[in-house]
Amino acid sequence: MTGTPATPPYPRVAPCRHCGRPVLRDNDGRWIHADLAYACRDRWGGITATTAAPEGQLAEWRGHQPGGESAGERGRP
């Protein structure tokens, strides 16, 4: 063992830090909402400028995923 976990810590589903909808990992290790949308939505259903990202303890694990960034951080300088 290398000391780095191969899977994220439990729970595997967490509320999104931006919109509160449940998020989990897709097959590529990126965060995605449970309804299979990467983009967050506001309370009226409109698409927002943020993407799926967990809140709390799971957010700290993002540095260990493929690419070392959360879906919400892709493409940022």
Side-chain angles (χ1 to χ4, degrees):
M1 293 233 106
T2 62
T4 303
T7 57
Y10 287 92
R12 293 181 187 215
V13 176
C16 179
R17 73 170 63 178
H18 306 293
C19 64
R21 293 170 32 225
V23 295
L24 57 148
R25 294 206 180 259
D26 68 7
N27 291 338
D28 295 324
R30 293 176 54 199
W31 290 105
I32 188 169
H33 292 99
D35 64 358
L36 304 181
Y38 291 100
C40 294
R41 293 190 176 266
D42 62 21
R43 64 183 181 191
W44 299 282
I47 296 175
T48 65
T50 56
T51 56
E55 65 180 26
Q57 184 180 13
L58 283 180
E60 297 171 9
W61 195 80
R62 68 180 175 219
H64 298 287
Q65 69 178 311
E69 57 193 1
S70 71
E73 294 175 341
R74 292 184 189 275
R76 289 188 184 168

